[in-house]
Amino acid sequence: MSDYYGNQPQDVRPGIDARRLWAGGVATAVIAALLAVVGLLIARGVFEVEVLAPKGEGVWGNASTTTYALVAAAVALLATGLMHLLSVATPAPSQFFGWIMVLVTLIAVVLPLTLSVAPSAKIATAAINLVIGLVIAAVVNSMAASARTLHRRRTTQPKPAQPQQRMQQQPPPTRYYDQ
């Protein structure tokens, strides 16, 4: 389909299978939410770090655990939307997506480090955000690569000639003259 240099023929353009992309995006959202819950359970239960909840709330914490998981899922869906937009509008969607996700993840890692909470809570939240960001970036990028397609451009071509109908073989007309 492409020449030696990777150029596509003029009648073919890159595209994306939106159904597959968004199905993968929903699955990525579930993964991100579960990662948030697992990260909080490990921080609170194993390392006894108060992340997003006071110590008296227990290992599960309070409603902030659910909110954290829902925000992680929303970020995964936003990342899917970003990838969809980049896939239909830019020449190198994976590169742009990678850079954007690295920068957004970096913000999510640095932001908790600026809060006035215990250092252990800062580090735990930053680590959880780093893992969630990297997993979302990797999964959405690989999923989008498998959802990429090639579409043929519609061209206005003259309609093909109608197939000629078979003429039944008939004997040539004869004329009989009455005389």
Side-chain angles (χ1 to χ4, degrees):
M1 285 264 151
S2 63
D3 66 11
Y4 180 76
Y5 299 103
N7 297 322
Q8 297 296 328
Q10 292 298 332
D11 64 337
V12 176
R13 64 176 172 76
I16 193 142
D17 183 348
R19 275 188 251 156
R20 286 185 64 182
L21 178 70
W22 283 98
V26 169
T28 306
V30 171
I31 291 169
L34 292 174
L35 272 174
V37 171
V38 168
L40 291 174
L41 289 174
I42 290 172
R44 291 179 189 154
V46 175
F47 296 109
E48 297 179 358
V49 175
E50 297 176 23
V51 179
L52 300 177
K55 192 169 189 163
E57 296 292 334
V59 175
W60 178 255
N62 55 13
S64 62
T65 301
T66 305
T67 303
Y68 198 68
L70 291 174
V71 168
V75 169
L77 292 174
L78 287 171
T80 303
L82 174 65
M83 179 54 92
H84 193 174
L85 175 67
L86 293 172
S87 294
V88 298
T90 64
S94 292
Q95 287 180 344
F96 289 113
F97 180 78
W99 275 105
I100 292 168
M101 288 303 295
V102 163
L103 294 171
V104 168
T105 302
L106 187 59
I107 291 168
V109 168
V110 171
L111 189 62
L113 299 175
T114 65
L115 300 176
S116 58
V117 294
S120 58
K122 292 179 182 184
I123 293 170
T125 305
I128 294 168
N129 290 351
L130 176 65
V131 170
I132 292 170
L134 292 177
V135 168
I136 289 173
V139 172
V140 170
N141 200 21
S142 67
M143 171 200 50
S146 71
R148 288 203 176 86
T149 60
L150 290 177
H151 298 288
R152 297 217 178 270
R153 294 185 197 273
R154 291 184 183 183
T155 57
T156 54
Q157 296 177 355
K159 290 185 178 180
Q162 295 290 332
Q164 293 183 354
Q165 295 178 354
R166 283 190 181 175
M167 300 288 274
Q168 291 183 356
Q169 295 287 18
Q170 296 178 0
T174 57
R175 294 182 188 212
Y176 294 99
Y177 297 104
D178 290 319
Q179 294 205 23

